[in-house]
Amino acid sequence: DTAVSQTPKYLVTQMGNDKSIKCEQNLGHDTMYWYKQDSKKFLKIMFSYNNKELIINETVPNRFSPKSPDKAHLNLHINSLELGDSAVYFCASSRKTSSGANVLTFGAGSRLTVL
Amino acid sequence: EDQVTQSPEALRLQEGESSSLNCSYTVSGLRGLFWYRQDPGKGPEFLFTLYSAGEEKEKERLKATLTKKESFLHITAPKPEDSATYLCAVQHSGAGSYQLTFGKGTKLSVIP
């Protein structure tokens, strides 16, 4: 059973299009995230939801809109795609240790290519 | 602002040649320091959490250590299957802290 699953794994689209990436976790975690990994492999937080409530909203263009219909799902919709949006997008969920540290479990990633 | 710097960017080792990866960090109170492994085309996979200076954790050929300013990931007698990118991340101890800040990773190649 895949713990954090994302679809699609690959997405190739034209500039200006709108696209969505879906994420589901079956770990029972309360917190989910979207991270962006650029061509230099740098992982940067975009959004986080805790029990369907938005708790982290980094400086991301408002063309990016996350939605969490329930605590097991976190989707990412991107409007008016630009060349610079090409990257790998990772969904993750986390559990807190007894010390309050967040241990993240990542999905396999969705590689977005904008032409 | 939390900062994580990893060195070297890339490391090539012969099979059996032990070495260490470095992670220097700046954080306003450390809740946890994390090591992840990332294979090509896959998501990062959790390895260790360290909480306080002096702590050490081991898993197979990997041992992670922590000081107040940096963490080391020691690899003893590596094998080709240890080849991957190793990522370090920190979480600060502020109220409601959820965010992990990642370094850019060290790409390790182990040559047979």
Side-chain angles (χ1 to χ4, degrees), chain B residues 30-93:
Chain B
L30 182 69
R31 179 65 57 87
L33 184 140
F34 306 83
W35 283 98
Y36 282 82
R37 168 189 171 130
Q38 186 173 21
D39 292 297
K42 296 189 177 181
E45 179 185 344
F46 171 73
L47 292 173
F48 305 109
T49 309
L50 300 167
Y51 297 99
S52 58
E55 188 175 359
E56 298 183 354
K57 289 207 175 156
E58 287 188 63
K59 180 179 180 179
E60 296 180 0
R61 294 175 292 282
L62 301 177
K63 182 167 117 176
T65 62
L66 182 64
T67 73
K68 288 187 176 180
K69 293 184 178 180
E70 54 193 351
S71 177
F72 292 93
L73 185 65
H74 306 277
I75 304 176
T76 302
K79 297 182 177 180
E81 52 262 41
D82 295 323
S83 297
T85 296
Y86 291 85
L87 300 169
C88 174
V90 296
Q91 179 187 354
H92 66 73
S93 58

Side-chain angles (χ1 to χ4, degrees), chain A residues 38-52:
Chain A
D38 60 25
S39 57
K40 296 183 178 179
K41 306 299 183 186
F42 186 45
L43 262 176
K44 192 169 167 63
I45 183 78
M46 299 174 70
F47 303 103
S48 179
Y49 274 75
N50 187 55
N51 276 322
K52 302 194 295 176

